[in-house]
Each structure stands twice: as C-alpha cells, then as structure tokens.
Amino acid sequence: MPPIIHKSDLKQWQNWHQTYTQKLELLVDVWNANASQSTTEGYADTTRGLQGLIAQALREGLELRALGAGWSFSTAPATSGILVNTKPLNYLFPAPRTHPSYAGSRENLLFVQCGNSVAELNHFLEEKMGKALPTSGASNGQTIAGAIATGTHGSSLDFGAMQDFVAGLHLIVSPERHVWLERASSPTIHDDIPQKLGAELIRDDRLFNAALVSLGSFGIVHGVLLVAEDRYYLQAYRQRMPLTDGLWRAMDQLDFSGVALPGSAGQKPYHLQFVINPNDLAGGVYVTVMYKHAQRPPDSRPPSPSSKLTPGDSALEIVGVLTDVASDLTIPVLGKLLDRFYGEFSDISGTPGQMFTDTTTRGKSFGSAVGVPLGQVRKTVETALAINREYAFPGLLALRYVMSSKATLAFTHHDPMTCVLDIDGASSARTKTFCQKVWQQLSAQQVPHTLHWGKINNLDGARVRSMYGPERIEAWLKARQALLTSPALRATFSNDYLRALGLA
Amino acid sequence: MQSQTGSWRLAAVLCLTLSSACAHYRVQAPGHAGAPATEPEKEVLWSLAWGLVQEKPTVDNCQGQALAEVTQSTNLGFALISVVTLGIAMPQQVEWRCAKAQPSPGELGSLTEAPQEVR
C-alpha cells in the first residue's frame, strides 16, 4: 500500500532552536501505510512514495529536502521548495542477513528507517536487543538520518562521530533509482536484501564515505544500517577543578599525568567533557568523566529522572535549560543558574540512553562548534577567553573529544582526534559577534580548524575549501555527481546553504 | 491626511506589539510518547458567550496516532478582546504536534505480508 502523504497548510517552517524561519512551497508528512508493523513491503512502498515526491519536485522545478527533527541551527535542512517530513518513518529491522565475508556479529546490526530518533534507537537497542549505540550526541531528539548527515558527534575517546557506526545507507536518488551503499572494504549486507528492496547495490568506499555526511544533498536517506555493540553502562562523575597547567595539558593533549580525574582509579575515561564559564574562571572548570563498564557498577546510583539536566548534557543543553528559566540570560544570571542546575556529582551510572537523554528544552539558544586537532586546544580556548575579556558574552565553552572520522566532509576528521569546542549561549547579537570574532582570530592565527555543519557557522565556499582542502571537496562533489547523475537532480537536492558553501 | 496616516501607523505598531507578546502553556506526553512526528499545526479558537459556544481544533494530520504535545497561547491582544467584550468573546491559540507510531520490528528482506493493522 502506498504511504500516506499529508500535505500541510504551513507555508513557512521554523527550526527547533528558532534561529530562522523559512518560507516554503509545500510541507508534507510521510507516514508508512501500516505504521504499526515494520515490513519489507511497507518499506518498499514508502520508497516508491518518496520517489513520487522527487518526481513532483522535478516536474515543478522545485527543490526538495528531507526533514528530520530540524535540530540544526544552520539552514542545512531548509528549502523554499518541498520539505518532506520524515519523522513519522520509524520502521526497525534488527539483525538483517549479512554478507558471507562479514566478520562481525549479525546480532549487532540494526537497519532503521530515517525518521527514528536517536532516543528511540537507544530505547529499542537497550530494551529489546540488549545492545547500545557506540556513541551519540549529548541530547538525542535528532533523527538518525539528520544526525549523521551533519556529522553529529559524541564525546567518546574510543570512537568517532555518529556516522562512524553506520555500515550501510539506502539512498533514494531519483524517481527511478535507489541504491544500497556500503564500503567495498567491508561488505556487510547480504546481496539478497538490496535486491528484495529493489535497490541497486553499490560497494564503493569513496562514494560511501562521501555520502555519510551529505548535508541532505545526496538524495533522500531512507534507511540506515547501524552497527551497535553489547549494552554497556557509563559510570559518571563531575567535579569543578582549578584551571592548572595539569588541567590545561589534559584539555590540550589528553595527557592526564598532571591531573587527578574524578573517580578514575587508573581507569581510562570513555567520555570526557570540560565546561568552562568564561566569566568565572576563578571558580574552575566543570570536568565530567564517564567510565565504561559491561555491568552496572554495584552501589552506583541511577540518574535522577526528575533532574532538569542529565549527566551527559553539554553546554547547549545547559544553556537551553537556563534560557527556559530566564529568557534574558545575562552574565550574572547565567553564573547563578549554572551553580544551581549544573552541580558536582559522583558515581552515577546508566546506559547511554539514560545518560544522554532526549532533551525537551526549547529556549532560544545559539550554538556553534569548532573542531581542532589535539595540540591546538589550549591556543583555541585561550583565543576565545582573550576575546571574552574584551567582549564578554553570556554563554559557555565546552570541550569534547572524538576519534577521527572516515567521512569525507566530517568536521571531526582531524587526526588522530578532534577536540570540539562548543560555544553556546543565549541567542543574541552579542553571542553571534563573539563567535565571529573567535572564527576570525583562529583563521588569522592559522589554527587548523573546522566548523560543525549543523550549528551556526557562517561559512562560505572559500573557507570550506581552506578548511577541508581541494582533494576532499572534489571527492565529495564527484561522489555527488555519481549518485545524482543529472544537473536537474543536483539542483533538486540543493538549497541556499549548499550554494553558500560552494558545494551545489 | 497626515493625522490619518499617523493613526494607521500607530494601529499597526499596536497590533504588532500586542500580538507578539505571548504566554504559553505546554502539555507534553512524558518519555517517548512526547516525541513529535509532525511540525506544529495551529488554530485560533474562539470561545463565545462565556463558554457556551466553543470552537474545537480540526486535527486531521495525525493518521490515527495520539498527540505528543499541545501548546495553548494567549497574548495581550487576545486578553484585550476578552476584557473589552466582558468575556463574550475569548480567543486563544492552540498548537499541536502528533505522536509517532511505535511499530513492531520486522525482518528485512522477508516478503511475507504482516497482518494489517486493525484501527
């Protein structure tokens, strides 16, 4: 049965964090015809329905964009043409049959439809499969397709960003063609399955790596094959620590020799985050550390379900909660609220889904994130602090760390690890100007850096090329041309954001 | 003529000011039930004659699923109308998002049709 395509009367759309409003021609919700049972037939029918929408966009000369949860601060998901709401598409297919050469466990695989939120996946994996995602962002309302398309990252010292647990993509690239894409170097799915879906099977590392962080412009990502791992528990501690040379070394190079991390007892941290209030350095840095265990540590407390902030929350969630409490977030107010809501704790443990929850805060906040390689972290933070001394802003700095991603345009591609400096604050002209000053200074000081695609970045083509280098850009553009074979298709899956980046 | 133009400008500024300041009351289902499947749809509803006549929103976009959240909003303009009409006419804005379905998992590649949902 064909999917239900509901045409909304809305002629404009606003993103979750209310950073912009976009006029559009048409917003449609797409629902599986039988929403209560995941079936291969239903999935294939929805594929045809989505192809029909692409055909309509081509016929009417409109752009088309698949919409997830709309959590991006940037205009990556925006279009003036047809916005296809994919959130209702949440079929789940655990343990699909694998390729004979696949060395991993079939039980760790989960094929999901694009509209599943990360929170839904955490729930299903942990409760129904006894598994867990290797990493996730600090809050999990994003859809899986939206999260990987913009390179959303977590803060695991042993893993990369979210796109790095993806083993296969089902991409709809035209009214007549849809493809199952995976790496030639690690075939995962049994050949029969793409065939049963009517998809063309392409095994190509170059194409796959480019299509992971696609900014929504490689077609419609209809399905994602995830590689999970056995369910694990994170034991968390948070302590406010003085900004000593030892702590600087830990932040800059992950050298923990000069600092006693809370709760460590010789264990290697799995998750690490530093939150800095740039207007209260004397009070120290909030250090959150989590250690990974196969079982819940005995006597450890679970996270409080009534707490406004969870142990995994980052600067953005903190600012979201604080702007819910006080919409006019001034520097003194922020300091007071931070002390009240973002306190120290020790020995709290839970599954990843319990530690990184689906935040529901919606205060108007502003988020940006700079990726820098290890060894450049202190210089980057000191640059931001110096600017703050001259031009103080009501917000927070947070540092998180991930391993280098294989995705062609991952902003977390710095080798061997990327430190992500989040600059999050109340949505104001002052916060925006502060961020611009930081970006300008980093460029002027020739600090190698990248900017998160899904956060505010004000990037243009020249800066994108200088950040990623011509080789990566050309590889990405070439892969896009190989999948979207005509200029009309490439125009359909373009938007103002892509054109501004010089990637259309 | 100038005074008429001025009055229009004043009225326009007043309207914008009155309609932009809003108070919201949001009710959201807890946990996964509160995860929205749709973008917010909204309607302005009128309660007339002290509640004797009440408009109901036309929710036609949820495809049999529940509501994930409902937000009721009012603003200074709505409050003024209620006061000036002594409560005879009381407008308010209602906004809703539909909840997601919670499908059972399936077997990828299996072409055996599952039983159709009974609604």
Side-chain angles (χ1 to χ4, degrees):
Chain A
M1 289 208 325
I4 298 161
I5 296 179
H6 175 86
K7 293 181 180 175
S8 165
D9 295 329
L10 294 177
K11 288 295 172 193
Q12 60 179 26
W13 172 79
Q14 190 175 46
N15 64 335
W16 183 263
H17 292 293
Q18 304 168 29
T19 50
Y20 63 91
T21 300
Q22 169 77 52
K23 285 187 179 169
L24 46 80
E25 198 65 35
L26 179 63
L27 170 67
V28 295
D29 300 322
V30 183
W31 297 78
N32 294 309
N34 178 358
S36 65
Q37 172 68 47
S38 310
T39 66
T40 304
E41 288 91 344
Y43 181 90
D45 288 341
T46 300
T47 298
R48 284 187 281 278
L50 293 170
Q51 286 183 299
L53 289 170
I54 299 173
Q56 180 185 347
L58 284 166
R59 222 172 28 245
E60 297 175 11
L62 295 170
E63 290 174 353
L64 180 145
R65 214 84 187 145
L67 172 68
W71 273 32
S72 284
F73 287 83
S74 72
T75 51
T79 181
S80 57
I82 302 175
L83 193 60
V84 180
N85 172 26
T86 62
K87 284 189 288 297
L89 302 177
N90 60 348
Y91 277 176
L92 297 150
F93 299 94
R97 283 188 302 140
T98 54
H99 190 270
S101 72
Y102 180 64
S105 165
R106 174 180 170 181
E107 302 307 314
N108 283 352
L109 296 178
L110 175 64
F111 180 69
V112 302
Q113 221 174 359
C114 50
N116 274 285
S117 72
V118 181
E120 283 180 281
L121 295 179
N122 278 334
H123 177 72
F124 183 76
L125 283 164
E126 292 173 8
E127 302 299 321
K128 310 288 181 192
M129 293 177 69
K131 304 288 176 185
L133 292 174
T135 190
S136 73
S139 54
N140 291 319
Q142 313 99 320
T143 63
I144 185 66
I148 63 172
T150 48
T152 300
H153 62 96
S155 181
S156 164
L157 302 187
D158 292 343
F159 203 84
M162 291 185 70
Q163 67 271 10
D164 296 306
F165 57 63
V166 175
L169 289 172
H170 178 225
L171 258 177
I172 305 174
V173 293
S174 84
E176 301 84 25
R177 184 179 179 225
H178 52 108
V179 301
W180 182 288
L181 200 55
E182 56 182 37
R183 289 192 179 97
S185 58
S186 54
T188 305
I189 202 75
H190 195 284
D191 290 5
D192 277 357
I193 289 186
Q195 194 183 5
K196 292 225 168 105
L197 297 176
E200 181 185 335
L201 175 59
I202 301 177
R203 291 201 171 101
D204 185 313
D205 285 31
R206 198 178 42 86
L207 286 186
F208 183 77
N209 290 340
L212 282 172
V213 177
S214 68
L215 311 178
S217 60
F218 273 51
I220 298 175
V221 175
H222 187 195
V224 181
L225 181 63
L226 313 174
V227 185
E229 57 183 86
D230 288 343
R231 182 172 51 202
Y232 57 91
Y233 293 85
L234 294 167
Q235 185 179 24
Y237 298 81
R238 182 182 299 137
Q239 193 177 316
R240 208 164 178 193
M241 300 175 72
L243 190 49
T244 58
D245 275 348
L247 193 64
W248 272 119
R249 277 204 306 283
M251 292 196 291
D252 191 57
Q253 293 164 42
L254 296 180
D255 170 2
F256 305 124
S257 59
V259 66
L261 290 177
S264 81
Q267 303 171 82
K268 186 191 170 193
Y270 183 74
H271 167 103
L272 182 61
Q273 175 172 267
F274 302 98
V275 172
I276 303 168
N277 179 355
N279 302 300
D280 183 17
L281 289 179
V285 174
Y286 294 89
V287 182
T288 306
V289 193
M290 297 190 195
Y291 304 95
K292 188 177 179 182
H293 301 281
Q295 301 296 331
R296 184 190 291 277
D299 305 325
S300 186
R301 289 172 297 131
S304 164
S306 60
S307 173
K308 275 183 180 291
L309 284 164
T310 60
D313 281 335
S314 183
L316 182 58
E317 291 70 39
I318 303 167
V319 169
V321 164
L322 302 191
T323 49
D324 274 355
V325 176
S327 56
D328 190 11
L329 199 61
T330 59
I331 290 168
V333 168
L334 185 138
K336 284 202 170 66
L337 292 177
L338 193 63
D339 288 341
R340 180 172 166 198
F341 289 109
Y342 197 67
E344 295 183 335
F345 60 79
S346 67
D347 200 7
I348 290 178
S349 66
T351 60
Q354 291 166 337
M355 303 300 267
F356 304 101
T357 58
D358 174 6
T359 179
T360 52
T361 57
R362 314 160 197 239
K364 280 190 182 180
S365 47
F366 177 99
S368 77
V370 184
V372 294
L374 292 185
Q376 296 286 344
V377 181
R378 182 168 185 168
K379 191 174 179 182
T380 305
V381 175
E382 284 183 332
T383 299
L385 292 176
I387 291 167
N388 190 70
R389 280 193 289 276
E390 303 294 320
Y391 190 85
F393 89 110
L396 300 171
L397 309 177
L399 300 173
R400 293 187 283 160
Y401 301 82
V402 293
M403 292 182 74
S404 176
S405 174
K406 286 182 181 172
T408 310
L409 284 194
F411 90 99
T412 50
H413 69 72
H414 301 285
D415 199 29
M417 294 194 79
T418 299
C419 170
V420 180
L421 166 65
D422 291 318
I423 305 175
D424 297 316
S427 183
S428 68
R430 194 165 188 86
T431 310
K432 286 174 198 166
T433 307
F434 176 83
C435 283
Q436 279 165 349
K437 284 173 183 274
V438 173
W439 302 333
Q440 282 163 6
Q441 271 301 308
L442 293 180
S443 296
Q445 294 177 25
Q446 297 188 316
V447 175
H449 67 282
T450 44
L451 295 176
H452 196 314
W453 299 109
K455 289 192 163 184
I456 302 288
N457 55 49
N458 288 9
L459 284 169
D460 58 31
R463 292 186 65 213
V464 169
R465 281 188 174 262
S466 88
M467 285 175 177
Y468 290 87
E471 259 180 47
R472 281 179 187 271
I473 300 295
E474 291 313 316
W476 191 87
L477 290 171
K478 213 168 152 188
R480 185 167 183 256
Q481 283 185 14
L483 290 165
L484 303 178
T485 50
S486 72
L489 280 169
R490 292 195 288 278
T492 298
F493 287 106
S494 293
N495 65 358
D496 289 343
Y497 181 67
L498 207 66
R499 281 185 284 276
L501 301 174
L503 296 173
Chain B
M1 186 67 188
Q2 258 186 347
S3 119
Q4 199 177 10
T5 313
S7 304
W8 278 111
R9 276 188 189 158
L10 184 66
V13 169
L14 199 62
C15 281
L16 277 173
T17 309
L18 295 182
S19 61
S20 62
C22 287
H24 303 286
Y25 302 94
R26 178 176 289 118
V27 180
Q28 185 175 16
H32 296 294
T38 60
E39 296 303 301
E41 297 271 350
K42 58 188 170 190
E43 271 186 39
V44 173
L45 303 175
W46 291 79
S47 168
L48 301 172
W50 305 281
L52 283 175
V53 180
Q54 290 187 343
E55 276 191 303
K56 287 183 181 169
T58 314
V59 180
D60 62 355
N61 63 325
C62 290
Q63 315 308 329
Q65 302 304 322
L67 292 175
E69 65 173 48
V70 177
T71 306
Q72 182 262 333
S73 308
T74 188
N75 58 45
L76 199 51
F78 286 177
L80 270 180
I81 292 172
S82 303
V83 170
V84 167
T85 63
L86 300 175
I88 294 172
M90 293 191 289
Q92 58 185 303
Q93 182 178 278
V94 174
E95 186 179 284
W96 67 91
R97 290 177 188 252
C98 306
K100 288 185 161 195
Q102 297 192 1
S104 308
E107 187 182 340
L108 189 62
S110 164
L111 294 178
T112 310
E113 187 68 71
Q116 289 294 308
E117 181 192 13
V118 179
R119 288 185 179 173

